[in-house]
Amino acid sequence: MNTGSNRTEGLSGEAAVASDETRTDGAQGEHGLGSKAPAFIKRRRALHLSWQVGVFVVGLAVVGAGIVMLPLPGPGWVVIFGGMAIWATEFVWAQLVLRWTKRKVTEAAQRALDPKVRRRNITLTAIGLVIVGVLVGIYLWKFGVVMPWKIKDQ
């Protein structure tokens, strides 16, 4: 229990609070892992278990909707990560997956800002557009512009 005193107390109390705080190198410890359920729910085992089941079901529904949106129109990946965020309010494994994903996305964004990588991406995009333009030109030269429907018949 944090009583405001500066003395350390074995393995509990101040030591537990200190392990959750940010270290001097700026890295976070295991701060924030675990259930975010209100305290009155955590105190009762049956209520906490039913809370976890409810969070899992709601997260599963959101992730399922995101998976359905992948081939269909809609923000599939955003919805999937939203479902993972719902799960992360209760389950440590989902919190760790979200941390790993955030770290990988941040690393990819930093790599994308590298001038050499940007030049390579722009070059590859330009080459791809030229290839697509040539293929469309060949198609139009060979077959012309033919609409799949007949406007004259209507």
Side-chain angles (χ1 to χ4, degrees), residues 12-32:
S12 64
E14 302 286 327
V17 172
S19 69
D20 286 347
E21 295 174 355
T22 304
R23 295 183 294 216
T24 56
D25 63 352
Q28 285 260 331
E30 295 299 311
H31 180 67

Side-chain angles (χ1 to χ4, degrees), residues 35-55 89-90:
S35 176
K36 306 282 190 277
F40 74 93
I41 290 177
K42 288 183 191 178
R43 282 193 296 263
R44 293 169 184 85
R45 183 165 168 77
L47 188 58
H48 192 228
L49 184 61
S50 62
W51 176 272
Q52 286 180 328
V53 168
V55 167
T89 63
E90 198 58 37

Side-chain angles (χ1 to χ4, degrees), residues 3 22 26 46 49 77 92 94 108-109 111 120 130-131 137 143 148 151 154:
T3 59
T22 304
L49 184 61
W77 285 110
V92 174
R111 280 194 312 269
R120 183 198 66 200
V130 167
I131 290 171
F143 299 106
I151 296 176
Q154 293 180 356

Side-chain angles (χ1 to χ4, degrees), residues 112 114-129:
D114 182 27
K116 285 195 266 186
V117 174
R118 291 189 67 189
R119 274 193 300 272
R120 183 198 66 200
N121 290 345
I122 289 172
T123 303
L124 290 175
T125 302
I127 291 171
L129 288 174

Side-chain angles (χ1 to χ4, degrees), residues 5-119:
S5 66
N6 288 332
R7 73 183 203 343
T8 56
E9 303 174 342
L11 295 176
S12 64
E14 302 286 327
V17 172
S19 69
D20 286 347
E21 295 174 355
T22 304
R23 295 183 294 216
T24 56
D25 63 352
Q28 285 260 331
E30 295 299 311
H31 180 67
L33 291 179
S35 176
K36 306 282 190 277
F40 74 93
I41 290 177
K42 288 183 191 178
R43 282 193 296 263
R44 293 169 184 85
R45 183 165 168 77
L47 188 58
H48 192 228
L49 184 61
S50 62
W51 176 272
Q52 286 180 328
V53 168
V55 167
F56 183 79
V57 168
V58 170
L60 186 64
V62 173
V63 168
I67 290 171
V68 168
M69 286 184 202
L70 287 175
L72 299 176
W77 285 110
V78 174
V79 174
I80 288 172
F81 288 120
M84 289 296 294
I86 291 171
W87 278 339
T89 63
E90 198 58 37
F91 303 109
V92 174
W93 61 268
Q95 293 168 359
L96 295 175
V97 167
L98 283 178
R99 283 185 182 181
W100 178 83
T101 304
K102 183 178 179 184
R103 187 173 59 247
K104 291 298 181 184
V105 167
T106 303
E107 290 171 4
Q110 290 301 319
R111 280 194 312 269
L113 293 175
D114 182 27
K116 285 195 266 186
V117 174
R118 291 189 67 189
R119 274 193 300 272

